[in-house]
Every structure is written in structure tokens, then in C-alpha cells.
Amino acid sequence: MKPKHQRLILAIVALAGVAGAGVLGASALRDEAAYFRTPAEVAGGKATPGEAMRLGGMVAEGSIRHLADGVTIRFVATDGEASIPVEFTGIVPDLFAEKAGMVADGRMRADGVFAADRILAKHDERYMPPQMGEMPTDMKAATAG
Amino acid sequence: MHAYANPTRFLAIARPLTPWLLGLGLALLLVGAWAGLMLVPGDYKQGETARILYVHVPSAWLGMGGWTALAVAGLVQLVWRHPLAGIAARAIAVPGMLFTALCLATGSIWGKPTWGTWWEWDGRMTSMLVLLFLYAGFVALTMGDANENGGQRQGGMLSRGAAVYALVGAVNIPIINRSVVWWNSLHQGPSITLGGSSIDAALLWPLGLTLLGFSLLFGGIVLMRMRRIIADNRVAARLRRLADDDEGN
């Protein structure tokens, strides 16, 4: 075997080892590196009341309520499986809306309401012109084809 | 492949190619940027803010593509001892780092009006920041060994440590790519996949232009930097010869 081939095999073996270690590390981090927890995880007991955490989900349709003080809102965060009520006092980002994603910093209260200190808006991976955004989804598919 | 180990042959191609890459890249970039900023409509949800994607996406692509090329160069040097590999890796490092920084900066500027934050430690942002630090480490490693013996290492080759570092750092590239799939993240999932694009065609085409334009510019810059390293090596070699001659007399 030529030294060149030895080096090639050594490099491939080493690379495979390092890549394998990377994948193992990444999968071990699966839960730890998650940026937020979903309502289903919280409902499944993955959150202790009072512990600082982030809750991420969709704002349920028709769920945003403004309380009498004028600066506090209440809404329901959902992931389709479970729903968690959220309360927040302050200014939300422009993209915060019903049927859109959001991430809230805060903690679960003992009464099952998530008290948020801060709200971030999440947007999805779709980009399109404004007139198409108002079309029903099936028409979008038809025009895109 | 070893035909281009001879710098004269490499230069015969690189020299005329450089202005073409730079000129065509700049032209595509200007047309793409104009179309992206002026011609196409804003996004249905984010409005004008989404136009920054015409810079953000090519920057991310070149930051990650740059390190992939760096790792390939490291492998080629380790296995085949090709003399151009180290020169290419040195030439790629700084522009790659620059585009990674540009990606982080445009992402931050984009994040404030849409998400409501300049920076969050989510998987995508953190792994991209790690890439920036990897580049900085590589630049520091190769700057250090360029000072050995008062000049470039023989023919601009990388030290073995730097070549291995380039290979090991490549582990981060698939992690960046998959970070929004593996972990819950603030950053949205991939828009352009093998299955198609969730960026509507009306907004997508300027991205193709800026992507190609930035890539050609990147290629032109890398060729310029490779030519400079080769020229430096030749000057150093000539000075050494002169010094040896003086001693001989």
C-alpha cells in the first residue's frame, strides 16, 4: 500500500470518528439545546412551577384578550396537542398575532398560567407577495404550480 | 490534478479568470440587489424587512461553503500533499470569516424587527457564532506558522495541525444546517430544500442572482489572495537565493 493510500484511509477513519462523535453529541443535546418547550411537554410535566423557562407555540385563534389595565394581555399558546394560557404585561413584537408562532420567556405559576416576562414572535419559512398572503392556501398551491 | 502544482500553470488560468469572476459577480450582485430592494414586492407578513434575505442567505451560504472548501483543502494537503491546497485554505479563511460575520450581523438586524430581539442563544445562531470563532482560530493558527523561519512555510503549505483543525471544524457545518430541524429554535426551518422552495417564485429569483453574484465575487477574491500568496513565496525564495549567493562570494 502506498503511503498516500494509508493517509487517505487514516483521514477517512478519523473523519468518520469525529463526525460520529459530533452526531452523538448533538443527539445527546437534543433536549438540552432546545430553545423552548412546547405546550405538550409542559402539560406532560416537563416544567416545575416557578422555574425559569421558555414556552413556544402558536397563539390560538380568537384567544388574545386585553385586560382592564390596558397593558396586560392573555392568550392561549397551543401546539395542537396541548394548550397553555399565557399572561404578559408589556409591548409585543409587530409580528405577534393569532395563528402565528411565538416564544415566551417566563415561568409557570401554580395556577397553571404561564407568566411571561418577554414575548418574541416566530415566523415560518414561507415568503410570498402580499396579495398571495390573503389567498386561501389551496389557491396558493394552484397558482404556484 | 498535480498538473496545477506548478504555480505557473495555475497562474495562467487564475490570472485571466480573476477579472471575469469579479466583473460578472459584481454585475449579478448589483442587478440582484436592485431587483430585491426595488422591483419585487415585500413579504406578505414581514413587509419590507424580509428584503434583507437577499444578503443574509448568500452570506450564510458562503460562510458555510467557505469552511467546507477549507476542510477539503485540508484533506487534500494531508493526503495528497498538493501544494496549492494550503495556499487555497489560507486564501479562503478571511473572506469566509467576513461572510460569516456578515450573516450574523444581517441576521441580528433582521431579528430585531421580526422576532423582537437582536440575539438569542438558539441552536442556529449559536452554531453560526461557533463557525465565526472557528474561522478566527484558523486565521490565528496560519498567521502563526507563516512567521516561522521569517517567512511563509514552505510553499504556503499548512502546518499539519492547521489542516487537521480545518477537517475537525467541518463537523460544525452539518450541525448548523440541521440545527433548526433537530432542536426547537427561534429561527424558522429551511425555506429551500430538495423538495422545493417555500419562498414564492416572485420573491425567489433575485436571491438566485445575489447568491451567484456573491459566490463569483468570493471566487475572484480567493483567486486574488492565492496569487498574492504565490507572489509572496516567490519574493521570499528569491531573497533567500540572493542571500545565499552573497554568502557564497
Side-chain angles (χ1 to χ4, degrees), chain B residues 119-171:
Chain B
W119 182 264
E120 286 300 313
W121 294 101
D122 94 331
R124 173 57 64 83
M125 288 162 240
T126 308
S127 55
M128 202 63 190
L129 186 65
V130 168
L131 180 64
L132 183 71
F133 293 157
L134 283 172
Y135 270 118
F138 186 82
V139 170
L141 266 177
T142 49
M143 268 169 65
D145 74 14
N147 292 331
E148 263 175 38
N149 313 319
Q152 294 273 354
R153 182 175 285 268
Q154 186 212 346
M157 282 177 90
L158 301 175
S159 66
R160 179 178 291 180
V164 170
Y165 178 90
L167 268 181
V168 171
V171 171

Side-chain angles (χ1 to χ4, degrees), chain A residues 85-103:
Chain A
V86 181
E87 196 176 291
F88 172 68
T89 305
I91 298 165
V92 294
D94 290 350
L95 289 190
F96 177 83
E98 288 174 357
K99 293 199 288 178
M102 70 89 218
V103 178

Side-chain angles (χ1 to χ4, degrees), chain A residues 7 35-36 118 125 127-128, chain B residues 44 79 120 184 191 200:
Chain A
R7 292 199 298 264
Y35 179 68
F36 56 80
R118 193 171 68 132
E125 66 281 5
Y127 301 87
M128 63 192 94
Chain B
Y44 77 111
V79 176
E120 286 300 313
N184 289 335
S191 288
D200 187 77

Side-chain angles (χ1 to χ4, degrees), chain A residues 29-114:
Chain A
L29 275 173
R30 184 152 290 216
D31 290 333
E32 303 303 322
Y35 179 68
F36 56 80
R37 292 181 207 167
T38 61
E41 285 167 355
V42 173
K46 267 199 164 181
T48 41
E51 172 204 10
M53 61 166 277
R54 289 194 199 92
L55 175 72
M58 301 290 277
V59 180
E61 195 175 357
S63 74
I64 300 182
R65 303 245 183 290
H66 293 266
L67 299 195
D69 65 357
V71 287
T72 303
I73 57 165
R74 268 192 190 207
F75 60 92
V76 174
T78 177
D79 58 0
E81 286 177 53
S83 296
I84 304 282
V86 181
E87 196 176 291
F88 172 68
T89 305
I91 298 165
V92 294
D94 290 350
L95 289 190
F96 177 83
E98 288 174 357
K99 293 199 288 178
M102 70 89 218
V103 178
D105 259 346
R107 58 210 76 229
M108 288 301 295
R109 289 200 312 232
D111 62 356
V113 175
F114 187 84

